[in-house]
Amino acid sequence: MVTDLLARFVVETGYDDLPESAINSARLSFLDWLGSAYAGCSAEPSRIISSLVGELDGTPEATVIGSGRRSSCLHAAMANAAFSHVIEMDDIDTSSIYHPAAPIIPAALAVAERQNKSGAEFLRAIILAYEVSIRIGQAVNPSHYRYWHTTGTVGTFGAAVAAAVLLELNLEQTISALGSAGTQASGLWEFLTDGAMSKQLHPAKAAMNGILGALLAQRGFTAATKILEGEKGFCRAMASEYDLDKITGGLYSRMSDYKISRVSFKQHASCRHTHSAIDATLDLVREQRIEPEDIEFIGVKIYSGAMELLGKLEAGTPYAAKFNLPYCVATAAIHKSVTPDKFTDEHLQDKKVQALMKRVRLETDPGLDKEYPDKWPSVVEIATRGGTHLVSRTDYPRGDPRNPLSHEELYVKFRSLASGVIGQAQIEKHILDSLRLEKINDMSGFL
Protein backbone atom coordinates (compact mmCIF):
# COMPACT_ATOMS: atom_id res chain seq x y z
CA MET A 1 0.00 0.00 0.00
CA VAL A 2 1.28 3.43 -0.93
CA THR A 3 0.25 5.34 2.19
CA ASP A 4 1.52 2.57 4.47
CA LEU A 5 4.91 2.49 2.73
CA LEU A 6 5.30 6.25 3.07
CA ALA A 7 4.42 6.14 6.75
CA ARG A 8 6.90 3.30 7.37
CA PHE A 9 9.61 5.28 5.60
CA VAL A 10 8.93 8.30 7.82
CA VAL A 11 8.91 6.32 11.06
CA GLU A 12 11.94 4.15 10.26
CA THR A 13 14.31 6.77 8.78
CA GLY A 14 16.50 8.29 11.48
CA TYR A 15 18.80 11.28 11.38
CA ASP A 16 21.86 9.05 11.02
CA ASP A 17 20.33 7.53 7.86
CA LEU A 18 20.32 10.91 6.09
CA PRO A 19 23.18 11.86 3.75
CA GLU A 20 25.16 15.03 4.35
CA SER A 21 23.95 16.43 1.03
CA ALA A 22 20.34 16.37 2.27
CA ILE A 23 21.28 17.86 5.64
CA ASN A 24 23.17 20.70 3.97
CA SER A 25 20.26 21.37 1.62
CA ALA A 26 17.86 21.48 4.58
CA ARG A 27 20.05 24.05 6.34
CA LEU A 28 19.97 26.29 3.26
CA SER A 29 16.24 25.74 2.72
CA PHE A 30 15.54 26.86 6.28
CA LEU A 31 17.63 30.03 5.93
CA ASP A 32 16.05 30.83 2.55
CA TRP A 33 12.56 30.32 3.99
CA LEU A 34 13.33 32.47 7.02
CA GLY A 35 14.38 35.38 4.81
CA SER A 36 11.11 35.22 2.89
CA ALA A 37 9.14 35.06 6.14
CA TYR A 38 10.85 38.16 7.52
CA ALA A 39 10.39 40.05 4.26
CA GLY A 40 6.71 39.16 4.04
CA CYS A 41 5.63 39.57 7.66
CA SER A 42 4.48 43.18 7.22
CA ALA A 43 2.64 42.79 3.89
CA GLU A 44 -1.10 43.41 3.90
CA PRO A 45 -2.20 39.74 3.75
CA SER A 46 0.27 38.99 6.55
CA ARG A 47 -1.03 41.83 8.72
CA ILE A 48 -4.59 40.56 8.34
CA ILE A 49 -3.67 36.99 9.28
CA SER A 50 -1.40 38.16 12.10
CA SER A 51 -4.15 40.32 13.60
CA LEU A 52 -6.54 37.37 13.55
CA VAL A 53 -3.93 35.14 15.19
CA GLY A 54 -3.42 37.85 17.81
CA GLU A 55 -7.12 37.71 18.64
CA LEU A 56 -7.27 33.91 18.70
CA ASP A 57 -3.85 33.27 20.25
CA GLY A 58 -3.95 30.36 22.71
CA THR A 59 -1.19 28.59 24.59
CA PRO A 60 2.12 30.40 23.85
CA GLU A 61 3.93 27.49 22.19
CA ALA A 62 5.67 28.96 19.14
CA THR A 63 6.95 32.25 17.73
CA VAL A 64 5.01 34.43 15.30
CA ILE A 65 7.77 35.95 13.19
CA GLY A 66 8.15 39.71 13.33
CA SER A 67 5.55 40.16 16.08
CA GLY A 68 7.53 39.60 19.26
CA ARG A 69 4.85 37.25 20.58
CA ARG A 70 4.12 33.54 20.83
CA SER A 71 0.92 31.70 19.99
CA SER A 72 -0.30 28.14 19.69
CA CYS A 73 1.72 25.99 17.33
CA LEU A 74 -1.28 25.83 14.97
CA HIS A 75 -1.66 29.59 14.73
CA ALA A 76 2.07 30.37 14.64
CA ALA A 77 2.56 27.92 11.79
CA MET A 78 -0.40 29.38 9.91
CA ALA A 79 0.90 32.94 10.21
CA ASN A 80 4.53 32.16 9.42
CA ALA A 81 3.57 30.09 6.38
CA ALA A 82 1.52 32.96 4.99
CA PHE A 83 4.35 35.44 5.63
CA SER A 84 6.86 33.32 3.73
CA HIS A 85 4.78 33.09 0.54
CA VAL A 86 3.91 36.76 0.04
CA ILE A 87 6.94 38.09 -1.80
CA GLU A 88 7.27 35.06 -4.10
CA MET A 89 10.89 34.30 -3.20
CA ASP A 90 10.43 31.02 -1.33
CA ASP A 91 11.89 27.83 -2.79
CA ILE A 92 10.27 25.64 -5.44
CA ASP A 93 10.58 22.07 -6.63
CA THR A 94 10.11 22.16 -10.39
CA SER A 95 9.47 18.43 -10.81
CA SER A 96 6.38 18.59 -8.60
CA ILE A 97 5.49 22.26 -9.37
CA TYR A 98 5.41 22.97 -5.65
CA HIS A 99 6.80 25.40 -3.04
CA PRO A 100 7.70 22.98 -0.21
CA ALA A 101 9.26 25.38 2.29
CA ALA A 102 6.19 27.58 2.73
CA PRO A 103 3.98 24.90 4.35
CA ILE A 104 6.64 22.51 5.70
CA ILE A 105 9.18 24.66 7.52
CA PRO A 106 6.73 26.78 9.56
CA ALA A 107 4.94 23.59 10.60
CA ALA A 108 8.23 21.97 11.59
CA LEU A 109 9.44 25.08 13.42
CA ALA A 110 6.23 25.54 15.38
CA VAL A 111 6.11 21.91 16.54
CA ALA A 112 9.86 21.86 17.25
CA GLU A 113 9.42 24.92 19.49
CA ARG A 114 6.41 23.36 21.19
CA GLN A 115 8.20 20.08 21.83
CA ASN A 116 11.64 21.59 22.62
CA LYS A 117 13.19 19.50 19.85
CA SER A 118 16.82 19.61 18.77
CA GLY A 119 18.07 21.08 15.52
CA ALA A 120 18.93 17.58 14.30
CA GLU A 121 15.34 16.40 14.74
CA PHE A 122 14.11 19.60 13.12
CA LEU A 123 16.30 18.93 10.08
CA ARG A 124 15.14 15.31 9.93
CA ALA A 125 11.51 16.46 9.94
CA ILE A 126 12.13 18.89 7.10
CA ILE A 127 14.02 16.40 4.93
CA LEU A 128 11.43 13.64 5.30
CA ALA A 129 8.55 16.07 4.75
CA TYR A 130 10.15 17.34 1.53
CA GLU A 131 10.76 13.76 0.38
CA VAL A 132 7.21 12.55 0.93
CA SER A 133 5.36 15.60 -0.35
CA ILE A 134 7.53 16.13 -3.44
CA ARG A 135 6.97 12.49 -4.40
CA ILE A 136 3.20 13.01 -4.08
CA GLY A 137 3.45 16.17 -6.18
CA GLN A 138 5.42 14.37 -8.87
CA ALA A 139 2.77 11.65 -8.97
CA VAL A 140 -0.19 13.95 -9.63
CA ASN A 141 1.38 16.70 -11.72
CA PRO A 142 1.22 18.36 -14.16
CA SER A 143 -2.51 17.54 -14.52
CA HIS A 144 -3.26 18.37 -10.85
CA TYR A 145 -1.75 21.84 -11.26
CA ARG A 146 -4.32 22.94 -13.82
CA TYR A 147 -6.87 23.58 -11.06
CA TRP A 148 -5.06 22.94 -7.78
CA HIS A 149 -2.28 24.95 -6.16
CA THR A 150 0.14 22.19 -5.19
CA THR A 151 1.57 24.22 -2.31
CA GLY A 152 -1.83 24.15 -0.61
CA THR A 153 -2.73 20.56 -1.45
CA VAL A 154 0.48 18.52 -1.40
CA GLY A 155 1.90 20.91 1.18
CA THR A 156 -0.63 19.62 3.70
CA PHE A 157 0.97 16.17 3.49
CA GLY A 158 4.40 17.74 3.95
CA ALA A 159 3.34 19.63 7.06
CA ALA A 160 1.72 16.49 8.48
CA VAL A 161 4.93 14.49 8.01
CA ALA A 162 7.04 17.21 9.64
CA ALA A 163 4.69 17.32 12.63
CA ALA A 164 4.48 13.51 12.84
CA VAL A 165 8.28 13.23 13.03
CA LEU A 166 8.58 15.84 15.77
CA LEU A 167 5.66 14.40 17.75
CA GLU A 168 7.30 10.95 17.45
CA LEU A 169 4.15 9.31 16.10
CA ASN A 170 4.14 5.55 15.58
CA LEU A 171 3.23 3.86 12.29
CA GLU A 172 -0.54 3.76 12.79
CA GLN A 173 -0.59 7.36 14.02
CA THR A 174 1.50 8.54 11.06
CA ILE A 175 -0.88 6.84 8.63
CA SER A 176 -3.77 8.66 10.31
CA ALA A 177 -1.89 11.96 10.16
CA LEU A 178 -1.49 11.46 6.40
CA GLY A 179 -5.15 10.49 6.11
CA SER A 180 -6.31 13.63 7.88
CA ALA A 181 -3.92 15.70 5.78
CA GLY A 182 -5.34 14.34 2.55
CA THR A 183 -8.94 14.96 3.49
CA GLN A 184 -8.10 18.61 4.29
CA ALA A 185 -5.89 19.28 1.27
CA SER A 186 -7.13 22.18 -0.85
CA GLY A 187 -6.19 25.30 -2.76
CA LEU A 188 -7.81 26.39 -6.06
CA TRP A 189 -6.25 28.69 -8.67
CA GLU A 190 -9.42 30.72 -9.27
CA PHE A 191 -8.16 33.45 -6.92
CA LEU A 192 -5.72 34.59 -9.63
CA THR A 193 -8.61 35.88 -11.72
CA ASP A 194 -9.27 38.47 -9.02
CA GLY A 195 -5.68 38.99 -7.88
CA ALA A 196 -6.89 37.97 -4.43
CA MET A 197 -4.93 36.99 -1.30
CA SER A 198 -5.76 33.27 -1.32
CA LYS A 199 -2.27 32.24 -2.38
CA GLN A 200 -1.03 33.11 1.11
CA LEU A 201 -3.94 31.26 2.71
CA HIS A 202 -2.98 28.04 0.90
CA PRO A 203 0.37 27.36 2.63
CA ALA A 204 -1.03 28.85 5.85
CA LYS A 205 -3.84 26.30 6.00
CA ALA A 206 -1.56 23.53 4.71
CA ALA A 207 0.84 24.12 7.62
CA MET A 208 -1.96 24.42 10.15
CA ASN A 209 -3.97 21.46 8.86
CA GLY A 210 -0.92 19.21 8.65
CA ILE A 211 -0.15 19.88 12.31
CA LEU A 212 -3.81 19.44 13.22
CA GLY A 213 -3.86 16.02 11.56
CA ALA A 214 -0.74 14.93 13.44
CA LEU A 215 -1.97 16.23 16.81
CA LEU A 216 -5.29 14.45 16.35
CA ALA A 217 -3.54 11.23 15.36
CA GLN A 218 -1.40 11.45 18.50
CA ARG A 219 -4.62 11.35 20.51
CA GLY A 220 -6.03 8.35 18.68
CA PHE A 221 -8.09 10.11 16.00
CA THR A 222 -8.25 7.80 12.98
CA ALA A 223 -8.33 8.65 9.27
CA ALA A 224 -8.27 6.96 5.87
CA THR A 225 -5.49 4.37 5.66
CA LYS A 226 -5.31 4.58 1.85
CA ILE A 227 -5.72 8.31 1.40
CA LEU A 228 -3.37 8.46 -1.59
CA GLU A 229 -4.19 5.30 -3.53
CA GLY A 230 -7.80 4.67 -2.48
CA GLU A 231 -10.78 4.59 -4.83
CA LYS A 232 -11.97 7.92 -3.41
CA GLY A 233 -8.53 9.11 -2.35
CA PHE A 234 -6.36 12.10 -3.16
CA CYS A 235 -4.75 11.02 -6.42
CA ARG A 236 -7.88 9.78 -8.15
CA ALA A 237 -9.97 12.74 -7.01
CA MET A 238 -7.51 15.52 -7.81
CA ALA A 239 -5.57 14.52 -10.93
CA SER A 240 -6.78 13.42 -14.35
CA GLU A 241 -3.48 11.58 -14.74
CA TYR A 242 -1.33 10.21 -11.92
CA ASP A 243 1.42 7.68 -11.33
CA LEU A 244 1.57 6.00 -7.92
CA ASP A 245 4.97 4.50 -8.74
CA LYS A 246 6.45 7.98 -8.46
CA ILE A 247 5.44 8.06 -4.80
CA THR A 248 7.08 4.83 -3.70
CA GLY A 249 9.64 4.03 -6.40
CA GLY A 250 13.11 3.72 -4.86
CA LEU A 251 11.79 4.77 -1.47
CA TYR A 252 13.52 2.01 0.46
CA SER A 253 16.75 1.96 -1.51
CA ARG A 254 19.69 3.53 0.29
CA MET A 255 19.19 6.97 -1.21
CA SER A 256 22.09 9.37 -1.46
CA ASP A 257 20.09 11.93 -3.42
CA TYR A 258 17.06 13.10 -1.48
CA LYS A 259 14.45 15.29 -3.15
CA ILE A 260 15.38 18.29 -1.01
CA SER A 261 18.75 18.45 -2.77
CA ARG A 262 17.00 19.11 -6.10
CA VAL A 263 14.90 22.05 -4.93
CA SER A 264 15.37 25.43 -6.62
CA PHE A 265 15.94 28.75 -4.89
CA LYS A 266 14.52 31.95 -6.38
CA GLN A 267 16.45 35.03 -7.44
CA HIS A 268 13.51 37.06 -8.73
CA ALA A 269 10.48 38.19 -6.69
CA SER A 270 7.84 36.82 -9.07
CA CYS A 271 6.09 33.62 -10.04
CA ARG A 272 8.65 30.97 -11.01
CA HIS A 273 6.97 30.55 -14.41
CA THR A 274 8.23 34.05 -15.29
CA HIS A 275 11.86 33.37 -14.36
CA SER A 276 13.16 31.72 -17.52
CA ALA A 277 11.89 34.66 -19.59
CA ILE A 278 13.35 37.11 -17.08
CA ASP A 279 16.75 35.40 -17.18
CA ALA A 280 16.79 35.27 -20.98
CA THR A 281 15.88 38.97 -21.12
CA LEU A 282 18.57 39.89 -18.59
CA ASP A 283 21.16 37.92 -20.55
CA LEU A 284 20.41 39.94 -23.69
CA VAL A 285 20.12 43.44 -22.22
CA ARG A 286 23.22 43.02 -20.05
CA GLU A 287 25.47 41.36 -22.61
CA GLN A 288 24.38 43.53 -25.53
CA ARG A 289 23.92 46.70 -23.44
CA ILE A 290 20.44 47.25 -24.83
CA GLU A 291 18.61 50.34 -23.58
CA PRO A 292 14.81 50.32 -23.25
CA GLU A 293 14.33 53.06 -25.81
CA ASP A 294 16.20 50.96 -28.39
CA ILE A 295 13.71 48.07 -28.15
CA GLU A 296 11.17 47.68 -30.94
CA PHE A 297 9.53 44.62 -29.36
CA ILE A 298 10.25 41.64 -27.09
CA GLY A 299 8.95 38.25 -28.20
CA VAL A 300 8.54 35.58 -25.49
CA LYS A 301 7.92 31.92 -26.27
CA ILE A 302 6.82 29.90 -23.27
CA TYR A 303 5.34 26.47 -22.49
CA SER A 304 1.57 26.03 -22.28
CA GLY A 305 1.55 25.33 -18.54
CA ALA A 306 2.90 28.81 -17.88
CA MET A 307 0.62 30.47 -20.42
CA GLU A 308 -2.50 28.80 -18.99
CA LEU A 309 -1.70 30.19 -15.55
CA LEU A 310 -0.29 33.61 -16.48
CA GLY A 311 -1.55 34.47 -19.96
CA LYS A 312 -4.74 36.36 -19.05
CA LEU A 313 -3.61 37.99 -15.80
CA GLU A 314 -3.53 41.78 -15.74
CA ALA A 315 -0.92 43.66 -13.72
CA GLY A 316 -3.67 45.46 -11.81
CA THR A 317 -1.94 45.37 -8.42
CA PRO A 318 1.68 44.98 -7.32
CA TYR A 319 0.97 41.38 -6.30
CA ALA A 320 -0.83 40.53 -9.53
CA ALA A 321 2.16 41.95 -11.42
CA LYS A 322 4.26 39.08 -10.05
CA PHE A 323 2.21 36.81 -12.35
CA ASN A 324 2.19 39.11 -15.37
CA LEU A 325 4.85 38.13 -17.92
CA PRO A 326 4.94 41.45 -19.81
CA TYR A 327 5.44 43.38 -16.58
CA CYS A 328 8.22 41.05 -15.36
CA VAL A 329 10.02 41.06 -18.72
CA ALA A 330 9.69 44.83 -19.15
CA THR A 331 10.96 45.38 -15.60
CA ALA A 332 13.96 43.16 -16.28
CA ALA A 333 14.76 45.02 -19.50
CA ILE A 334 14.52 48.47 -17.89
CA HIS A 335 15.85 47.96 -14.36
CA LYS A 336 18.17 44.96 -14.98
CA SER A 337 16.66 43.25 -11.92
CA VAL A 338 13.31 41.95 -10.66
CA THR A 339 13.67 42.43 -6.91
CA PRO A 340 10.85 42.88 -4.34
CA ASP A 341 11.07 46.67 -4.50
CA LYS A 342 10.00 46.55 -8.18
CA PHE A 343 6.50 45.47 -7.18
CA THR A 344 4.98 48.69 -5.88
CA ASP A 345 2.23 51.00 -7.11
CA GLU A 346 4.91 53.50 -8.13
CA HIS A 347 6.74 50.98 -10.33
CA LEU A 348 3.45 49.67 -11.71
CA GLN A 349 2.58 53.17 -12.92
CA ASP A 350 6.04 53.84 -14.40
CA LYS A 351 5.41 55.10 -17.95
CA LYS A 352 8.55 53.42 -19.30
CA VAL A 353 7.43 50.06 -17.94
CA GLN A 354 3.89 50.52 -19.20
CA ALA A 355 5.11 51.48 -22.66
CA LEU A 356 7.47 48.52 -22.95
CA MET A 357 4.84 46.09 -21.65
CA LYS A 358 2.75 46.92 -24.71
CA ARG A 359 5.64 45.81 -26.91
CA VAL A 360 5.97 42.37 -25.29
CA ARG A 361 4.50 39.59 -27.44
CA LEU A 362 3.67 36.23 -25.86
CA GLU A 363 3.16 32.89 -27.56
CA THR A 364 3.24 29.24 -26.64
CA ASP A 365 5.68 26.84 -28.28
CA PRO A 366 4.63 23.16 -28.56
CA GLY A 367 8.31 22.21 -28.63
CA LEU A 368 8.79 23.71 -25.18
CA ASP A 369 5.73 21.84 -23.87
CA LYS A 370 7.52 18.54 -24.43
CA GLU A 371 10.31 19.55 -22.05
CA TYR A 372 8.14 20.78 -19.15
CA PRO A 373 8.24 20.21 -16.18
CA ASP A 374 11.78 18.76 -16.31
CA LYS A 375 12.78 22.09 -17.85
CA TRP A 376 10.94 25.38 -17.42
CA PRO A 377 12.10 26.82 -20.75
CA SER A 378 11.60 30.17 -22.45
CA VAL A 379 12.93 31.77 -25.63
CA VAL A 380 13.20 35.55 -25.75
CA GLU A 381 13.77 37.61 -28.90
CA ILE A 382 14.55 41.30 -28.67
CA ALA A 383 14.18 43.34 -31.87
CA THR A 384 15.89 46.71 -31.76
CA ARG A 385 14.92 49.86 -33.66
CA GLY A 386 18.16 49.49 -35.56
CA GLY A 387 16.93 46.25 -37.12
CA THR A 388 18.91 43.81 -34.96
CA HIS A 389 17.19 40.62 -33.75
CA LEU A 390 18.76 38.98 -30.71
CA VAL A 391 17.64 35.64 -29.24
CA SER A 392 18.33 33.97 -25.90
CA ARG A 393 16.96 30.74 -24.44
CA THR A 394 16.83 29.70 -20.79
CA ASP A 395 15.97 26.13 -19.82
CA TYR A 396 16.87 26.26 -16.14
CA PRO A 397 16.25 29.59 -14.35
CA ARG A 398 18.86 30.86 -11.90
CA GLY A 399 18.62 28.96 -8.64
CA ASP A 400 17.77 25.64 -10.28
CA PRO A 401 20.20 22.91 -9.14
CA ARG A 402 21.42 22.81 -12.75
CA ASN A 403 21.99 26.59 -12.71
CA PRO A 404 22.52 27.17 -8.99
CA LEU A 405 22.92 30.19 -6.79
CA SER A 406 26.09 30.04 -4.71
CA HIS A 407 25.97 29.87 -0.93
CA GLU A 408 27.20 33.45 -0.79
CA GLU A 409 24.41 34.57 -3.12
CA LEU A 410 21.90 32.93 -0.79
CA TYR A 411 23.43 34.71 2.20
CA VAL A 412 23.22 38.03 0.33
CA LYS A 413 19.58 37.27 -0.48
CA PHE A 414 18.84 36.54 3.19
CA ARG A 415 20.53 39.74 4.35
CA SER A 416 18.52 41.76 1.85
CA LEU A 417 15.18 40.17 2.81
CA ALA A 418 15.66 40.30 6.58
CA SER A 419 17.09 43.82 6.76
CA GLY A 420 14.62 46.33 8.10
CA VAL A 421 12.91 43.67 10.21
CA ILE A 422 15.79 42.51 12.42
CA GLY A 423 19.18 44.05 13.15
CA GLN A 424 22.44 43.25 11.40
CA ALA A 425 23.84 41.30 14.36
CA GLN A 426 20.73 39.10 14.46
CA ILE A 427 20.93 38.57 10.68
CA GLU A 428 24.49 37.30 10.91
CA LYS A 429 23.61 35.13 13.91
CA HIS A 430 20.76 33.54 11.97
CA ILE A 431 23.13 32.72 9.12
CA LEU A 432 25.69 31.13 11.43
CA ASP A 433 23.06 29.25 13.45
CA SER A 434 21.38 27.93 10.30
CA LEU A 435 24.67 26.46 9.13
CA ARG A 436 25.01 24.52 12.40
CA LEU A 437 21.39 23.61 13.07
CA GLU A 438 22.26 20.02 13.96
CA LYS A 439 24.27 21.31 16.93
CA ILE A 440 21.36 23.25 18.46
CA ASN A 441 19.90 21.46 21.46
CA ASP A 442 16.53 23.21 21.62
CA MET A 443 14.83 24.97 18.69
CA SER A 444 12.48 26.86 21.02
CA GLY A 445 15.16 29.51 21.44
CA PHE A 446 16.21 29.90 17.81
CA LEU A 447 14.14 33.01 17.12
Side-chain angles (χ1 to χ4, degrees):
M1 294 189 296
V2 173
T3 306
D4 181 84
L5 278 173
L6 280 183
R8 287 180 186 277
F9 171 75
V10 170
V11 171
E12 294 173 4
T13 305
Y15 180 82
D16 291 339
D17 298 318
L18 302 172
E20 179 59 29
S21 59
I23 294 168
N24 184 57
S25 294
R27 297 185 194 112
L28 293 175
S29 291
F30 172 64
L31 182 68
D32 190 73
W33 169 83
L34 188 58
S36 286
Y38 275 127
C41 69
S42 61
E44 185 178 6
S46 302
R47 290 198 300 270
I48 293 170
I49 289 175
S50 185
S51 67
L52 176 62
V53 166
E55 289 181 17
L56 299 174
D57 263 340
T59 306
E61 298 172 324
T63 307
V64 178
I65 287 173
S67 71
R69 70 173 189 272
R70 292 168 73 84
S71 186
S72 71
C73 66
L74 288 170
H75 293 148
M78 180 178 76
N80 293 339
F83 300 169
S84 66
H85 204 48
V86 172
I87 63 165
E88 290 290 329
M89 292 199 81
D90 48 316
D91 70 12
I92 181 167
D93 178 72
T94 56
S95 66
S96 55
I97 323 177
Y98 162 47
H99 298 272
I104 288 172
I105 296 180
L109 182 60
V111 179
E113 287 188 275
R114 178 184 189 267
Q115 302 297 120
N116 302 108
K117 288 294 186 178
S118 69
E121 281 301 289
F122 176 64
L123 288 168
R124 173 176 168 249
I126 291 171
I127 292 166
L128 295 179
Y130 269 62
E131 188 68 27
V132 167
S133 56
I134 288 173
R135 283 171 171 268
I136 296 170
Q138 289 174 328
V140 296
N141 275 320
S143 69
H144 176 76
Y145 191 74
R146 185 173 185 184
Y147 299 105
W148 300 98
H149 183 200
T150 318
T151 304
T153 56
V154 170
T156 312
F157 290 104
V161 168
V165 169
L166 293 161
L167 292 171
E168 301 181 40
L169 300 191
N170 62 29
L171 176 61
E172 289 74 20
Q173 291 169 329
T174 301
I175 291 172
S176 287
L178 289 170
S180 288
T183 207
Q184 297 178 91
S186 189
L188 292 163
W189 279 119
E190 181 61 23
F191 75 90
L192 278 177
T193 303
D194 306 287
M197 298 177 183
S198 303
K199 197 164 192 282
Q200 286 74 62
L201 183 62
H202 294 170
K205 284 306 300 296
M208 180 179 181
N209 290 344
I211 296 174
L212 177 62
L215 288 172
L216 288 170
Q218 186 184 44
R219 287 158 176 75
F221 191 92
T222 61
T225 58
K226 298 180 181 179
I227 193 64
L228 293 166
E229 71 272 30
E231 181 71 22
K232 298 182 185 297
F234 178 82
C235 292
R236 184 163 297 196
M238 300 176 77
S240 59
E241 298 177 1
Y242 61 91
D243 183 355
L244 295 176
D245 288 340
K246 290 184 178 180
I247 300 180
T248 56
L251 190 64
Y252 268 93
S253 62
R254 184 71 178 179
M255 293 185 298
S256 60
D257 187 16
Y258 272 65
K259 302 295 185 185
I260 196 168
S261 297
R262 293 182 175 270
V263 166
S264 298
F265 297 112
K266 295 175 74 173
Q267 188 174 53
H268 313 304
S270 59
C271 174
R272 185 62 166 185
H273 291 296
T274 69
H275 284 208
S276 56
I278 290 171
D279 284 341
T281 301
L282 289 172
D283 287 344
L284 289 176
V285 297
R286 287 171 176 170
E287 292 173 9
Q288 303 298 325
R289 299 183 181 180
I290 301 172
E291 296 301 323
E293 56 270 20
D294 296 331
I295 297 174
E296 182 71 28
F297 71 84
I298 302 176
V300 179
K301 292 182 180 180
I302 200 77
Y303 47 94
S304 298
M307 190 68 80
E308 285 179 9
L309 189 68
L310 310 178
K312 297 180 181 179
L313 295 176
E314 299 294 330
T317 66
Y319 187 71
K322 293 174 178 285
F323 300 84
N324 183 277
L325 263 172
Y327 180 83
C328 292
V329 168
T331 298
I334 293 170
H335 296 289
K336 311 300 188 292
S337 68
V338 186
T339 46
D341 63 306
K342 303 300 187 297
F343 295 92
T344 63
D345 287 321
E346 181 182 359
H347 277 281
L348 208 60
Q349 295 160 12
D350 187 306
K351 291 182 179 179
K352 286 185 177 180
V353 174
Q354 290 181 347
L356 188 53
M357 284 175 65
K358 295 175 182 177
R359 304 200 298 276
V360 177
R361 306 172 183 177
L362 307 179
E363 63 177 297
T364 54
D365 184 335
L368 300 181
D369 289 346
K370 297 175 182 177
E371 302 180 66
Y372 173 76
D374 177 56
K375 297 178 182 178
W376 288 37
S378 182
V379 179
V380 170
E381 175 190 6
I382 295 182
T384 68
R385 300 190 189 280
T388 303
H389 286 254
L390 303 164
V391 178
S392 179
R393 171 172 172 149
T394 298
D395 288 332
Y396 307 110
R398 285 303 315 280
D400 186 281
R402 293 156 292 193
N403 186 14
L405 297 174
S406 68
H407 287 196
E408 186 53 44
E409 285 177 305
L410 289 172
Y411 305 154
V412 169
K413 174 185 173 181
F414 177 78
R415 292 183 183 110
S416 174
L417 294 178
S419 64
V421 183
I422 56 175
Q424 192 61 41
Q426 188 67 20
I427 287 173
E428 298 305 319
K429 185 176 187 300
H430 276 340
I431 293 173
L432 291 174
D433 286 347
S434 295
L435 298 179
R436 61 176 194 92
L437 274 172
E438 69 279 7
K439 299 185 184 300
I440 293 176
N441 293 324
D442 185 350
M443 286 299 295
S444 66
F446 187 93
L447 293 173

